[in-house]
Amino acid sequence: MQKNDVVKVTIEDIGVNGEGIGKVDGFPLFIKDSITGDVVEAKVIKSKKSYAYAKLTKIVEPSPYRVPPKCPYARQCGGCQIQEMAYQKQLEFKQNKVINNLTRIGGFSAELLAQITEPIVGMEEPFHYRNKAQFPFGTDKDGQPITGFYAGRTHHIIANTDCPLGVSVNQEILEIILAYMKKYQVASHDETTGKGLIRHALIRYGVHTKEIMVCLVINASNESEKSKESNESKNSKKSFIPHKETLIEELVKIKGMTSIAISFNPKNTNVIMGDSYEVLWGQGYITDTIGGISYQISPLSFYQINSIQTEKLYGLVLEYAALQGHETVWDLYCGIGTISLFLAQKAKQVYGVEIVPEAVADAKKNAKLNRIDNVTFFVGKAEEVLPEYYKEYRLKEDDEHRQQEDSEHRRYAEVGDRTLCDVIVIDPPRKGCEGSLLKTIVKMEPQRIVYVSCDSATLARDLKYLCENGYELKKVRATDMFPMTVHVEVVALLIK
Ligand code: SAH
C-alpha cells in the first residue's frame, strides 16, 4: 500500500479511537469518519508495515447504522468521534470494546463474561449532556472575534456557538460575549503574539438547580492580588475588562445566571484556567446535586461532566457495594468525595483518598454542607496512604496480641470484632492502579471491591491481578458517560 493510493473498501469494524477499519487483500486500513457497514472510497495518507491510515474521500454505499450528524462540524471538530453512528450502535461498540479488553488483556473467558456482563447503561437523550464547557476565543480572517472548538489535534478554532453536546444556553451566552467584544473592540487572545484579552469562556450549568456560571479567562494578571502583596491602596486596582458593566448587564438577563467571574491567566500555556479568579457578579459558585447531595462548584472545582449518567453510575456503585449500614468503606481516588458522600449515607464509616489537596478541601466542605460526619478524607497517593494505614493497623494489632498474651483474661473477641474494611471502591485515572496498591488491597481482604474505570484496558490488567489473588469477578457493567465520543466508563464487582 502506497501513500496516495485510492482504494474502495468495506468497513468491518471500529478501532478504539473510533476510526472505521476495512481490509484490502487482508491489509487493514484505518479510516476516520467511516463506520461499520459503509462501503467507502479512501486515499492512503500514511502506510506502515502492517496497516495504513486513509482519508475518507467518498461514501459509496452508506452503512445502515449511519445517521446524519446533528452538528455540521462533527468531522472537523476534535470533540466528537462517532456522531454519525446510530446511538444504539455506539452503545454496542462500547460494550464490545470493554468485553474485548477483558478477554484479551484480562484473560476472562467469553462464557464467563456473557454470564456476568450487564447491558450498557445508555442515555435516553444522548445530546446536551455536558454541564461544563470551555470555549476558546480567536479571530477570523476578517479580524472579528470568534469562538467554538479546536479542530482535532490542533489549536485551529472552528467557529461554532451551538455545540449539540453542551447545554442550549451556551449559545446565548457566547453570542452575548461576542457582541460585547465586537462593540467595544475587545480582542481575543492570540497564542502566537501573546496579545489580546479574552482567552476562554468557561460555562457551568447545574442540571438540577438550573444555576449558571460564566467565567471569562483573560490574558492578564490579578492586579488586586499583586496590590495586596505590595500593600498598595485598594484604589490602584485596575479595571480588567473594559465596559464590564454592559457585559454583566446582558449576562444577568439570562434566567438562572448565578455567578460571573474572571480567571487570570497571563501565561503562555495550554492550561486553560489561571491560578486565581475574581467574582464580578453574584456568588463564586453554583450549586448542584447528585443523588440528593448538594455540591458547591466554583470555577476551578472538579465535577463530573454528565450529571444524569453520573447518578446512574453512582447508583451502580452503591448496588455493587451492597451496604447494610455496618460497613467500613474506602473510596480511593475520591476526587471531591462524590462517591464517598453517596456511600456514607448507607455505611458506618467511609475513608476517602485523593492526591489533589484542593479536591480534598472541596470534599470536606461538601461533607459539612450536607451534614455528613462519618467520612474522613486523606490527601495523598492511594498507593502510599493505604499501605501506610495498613502497616499502622498491623503494628497496633500485634501490640494488642502481645498484651493479650500477657494478660490472664484474653479478649480475642475484641480483635475479631473489628473489621479493617468491608468494601473498597477504586476509581483511578486512565493508567489504572499501581501494583503496590493492589497488593495492599489484597492483604486487607475486603469482602467486596468495586472498580470504576475510564479505561477498560487498564481495568482488565488490574482485574486479572485481583482475580489471581483471591477475588472473583461477579459483575461488569459499562455506562455511557460521553455519547458521540469513544470513551466508556465501566463498573466491575469483585467478591472475595
Ligand atoms: N471518584 C471521583 C473522581 C475520579 S477521577 C468522582 O467520581 O468524581 C480520578 C481521581 O484520582 C482524580 O481526582 C485524580 O486527582 C485522582 N488521582 C490521580 N492519581 C492519584 C493517586 N495516585 N492517588 C490518589 N488519587 C489520585
Side-chain angles (χ1 to χ4, degrees):
M1 197 74 45
Q2 302 276 313
K3 191 176 169 182
N4 292 333
D5 280 357
V6 174
V7 290
K8 189 176 156 189
V9 53
T10 302
I11 305 300
E12 293 162 17
D13 205 354
I14 300 288
V16 286
N17 297 317
E19 331 86 332
I21 306 172
K23 287 181 184 154
V24 175
D25 300 331
F27 189 82
L29 288 160
F30 289 86
I31 308 168
K32 184 180 163 309
D33 303 318
S34 67
I35 60 175
T36 311
D38 278 339
V39 179
V40 301
E41 198 183 84
K43 191 173 176 180
V44 175
I45 44 180
K46 201 178 199 177
S47 190
K48 302 256 187 182
K49 228 181 197 158
S50 53
Y51 61 93
Y53 294 103
K55 186 176 160 44
L56 175 68
T57 47
K58 191 172 154 194
I59 299 168
V60 183
E61 265 174 58
S63 156
Y65 310 115
R66 184 169 273 286
V67 291
K70 255 200 184 186
C71 174
Y73 307 104
R75 286 190 191 176
Q76 290 116 289
C77 176
C80 290
Q81 297 91 42
I82 50 175
Q83 212 189 104
E84 292 175 84
M85 197 190 291
Y87 187 55
Q88 277 312 313
K89 199 71 187 168
Q90 290 184 23
L91 294 176
E92 198 183 293
F93 154 70
K94 293 184 186 192
Q95 181 89 338
N96 288 341
K97 182 169 160 177
V98 172
I99 291 175
N100 282 344
N101 278 333
L102 290 175
T103 345
R104 202 169 44 84
I105 303 168
F108 297 99
S109 75
E111 295 74 41
L112 173 76
L113 292 172
Q115 275 172 26
I116 63 169
T117 310
E118 301 185 273
I120 181 167
V121 184
M123 291 194 84
E124 267 166 43
E125 166 48 64
F127 287 98
H128 302 296
Y129 61 79
R130 289 190 65 106
N131 60 26
K132 169 186 161 183
Q134 290 163 316
F135 298 89
F137 279 73
T139 310
D140 69 7
K141 56 180 182 356
D142 303 320
Q144 293 297 315
I146 52 167
T147 185
F149 280 96
Y150 291 135
R153 296 190 203 95
T154 71
H155 273 194
H156 171 71
I157 296 174
I158 296 162
N160 176 24
T161 56
D162 189 22
C163 163
L165 297 195
V167 290
S168 332
V169 77
N170 285 344
Q171 185 170 32
E172 202 180 334
I173 294 167
L174 294 174
E175 293 298 342
I176 288 174
I177 298 171
L178 286 173
Y180 151 82
M181 289 171 73
K182 284 176 192 162
K183 186 168 175 190
Y184 295 108
Q185 293 179 354
V186 179
S188 301
H189 177 239
D190 181 329
E191 281 181 332
T192 44
T193 64
K195 294 211 170 90
L197 189 67
I198 310 291
R199 296 176 72 120
H200 273 84
L202 160 76
I203 304 175
R204 306 190 93 143
Y205 179 75
V207 170
H208 294 289
T209 57
K210 305 200 166 27
E211 292 183 1
I212 300 166
M213 165 185 289
V214 177
C215 180
L216 274 186
V217 185
I218 63 170
N219 174 32
S221 41
N222 191 346
E223 299 294 333
S224 67
E225 286 222 328
K226 270 193 199 159
S227 64
K228 250 188 266 162
E229 279 165 20
S230 60
N231 273 335
E232 279 176 39
S233 82
K234 262 213 151 132
N235 302 337
S236 69
K237 188 169 147 182
K238 294 211 183 85
S239 173
F240 303 105
I241 299 196
H243 304 278
K244 68 179 178 203
E245 312 71 35
T246 27
L247 176 62
I248 295 170
E249 199 178 297
E250 287 305 310
L251 287 175
V252 300
K253 284 182 192 160
I254 296 174
K255 199 169 159 233
M257 190 59 64
T258 304
S259 170
I260 303 175
I262 43 176
S263 164
F264 301 94
N265 188 356
K267 292 185 193 148
N268 178 12
T269 165
N270 281 339
V271 177
I272 295 177
M273 300 297 289
D275 298 333
S276 73
Y277 66 91
E278 188 177 290
V279 180
L280 293 185
W281 181 89
Q283 305 168 352
Y285 57 87
I286 58 168
T287 305
D288 203 18
T289 61
I290 301 176
I293 295 177
S294 299
Y295 294 92
Q296 287 181 356
I297 311 152
S298 44
L300 292 171
S301 302
F302 171 83
Y303 194 67
Q304 289 276 356
I305 295 290
N306 184 335
S307 307
I308 295 172
Q309 293 302 90
T310 298
E311 283 190 2
K312 295 183 193 166
L313 183 79
Y314 291 178
L316 207 57
V317 173
L318 188 62
E319 181 194 319
Y320 286 4
L323 301 175
Q324 307 289 317
H326 56 78
E327 294 87 351
T328 302
V329 181
W330 283 81
D331 176 18
L332 306 177
Y333 310 88
C334 70
I336 58 163
T338 31
I339 294 180
S340 315
L341 298 182
F342 203 74
L343 298 182
Q345 298 167 297
K346 299 274 162 64
K348 183 169 145 226
Q349 175 67 36
V350 179
Y351 296 106
V353 184
E354 161 63 44
I355 197 169
V356 176
E358 291 82 7
V360 172
D362 270 349
K364 288 182 178 167
K365 196 180 73 188
N366 290 326
K368 221 173 187 175
L369 179 73
N370 291 281
R371 299 196 175 83
I372 296 175
D373 54 16
N374 56 339
V375 199
T376 309
F377 293 104
F378 300 99
V379 181
K381 291 184 181 168
E383 61 273 21
E384 288 173 6
V385 172
L386 201 68
E388 275 161 28
Y389 182 92
Y390 180 64
K391 202 169 132 198
E392 269 173 36
Y393 172 86
R394 287 297 302 269
L395 287 174
K396 229 159 75 192
E397 202 181 44
D398 283 353
D399 257 10
E400 273 178 30
H401 270 298
R402 230 171 286 126
Q403 280 170 16
Q404 279 163 15
E405 275 163 16
D406 292 346
S407 140
E408 275 188 315
H409 312 283
R410 291 181 188 182
R411 288 179 297 144
Y412 284 120
E414 218 181 74
V415 177
D417 278 350
R418 193 173 55 195
T419 42
L420 176 54
C421 84
D422 303 284
V423 180
I424 296 187
V425 177
I426 7 180
D427 185 5
R430 284 196 192 157
K431 65 175 185 183
C433 299
E434 295 273 323
S436 58
L437 173 65
L438 295 177
K439 229 171 164 174
T440 307
I441 291 176
V442 166
K443 280 194 209 150
M444 286 173 76
E445 301 188 343
Q447 189 57 32
R448 282 167 185 254
I449 301 171
V450 182
Y451 195 135
V452 185
S453 160
C454 53
D455 185 332
S456 52
T458 55
L459 169 75
R461 178 200 67 200
D462 293 349
L463 291 184
K464 182 168 193 250
Y465 176 86
L466 292 168
C467 289
E468 284 164 356
N469 288 279
Y471 284 85
E472 205 177 312
L473 184 59
K474 288 289 187 185
K475 275 179 185 175
V476 174
R477 188 159 201 183
T479 301
D480 190 19
M481 303 291 278
F482 305 106
M484 313 300 141
T485 77
V486 292
H487 303 292
V488 58
E489 199 93 1
V490 194
V491 188
L493 167 65
L494 295 144
I495 293 190
K496 173 93 187 133

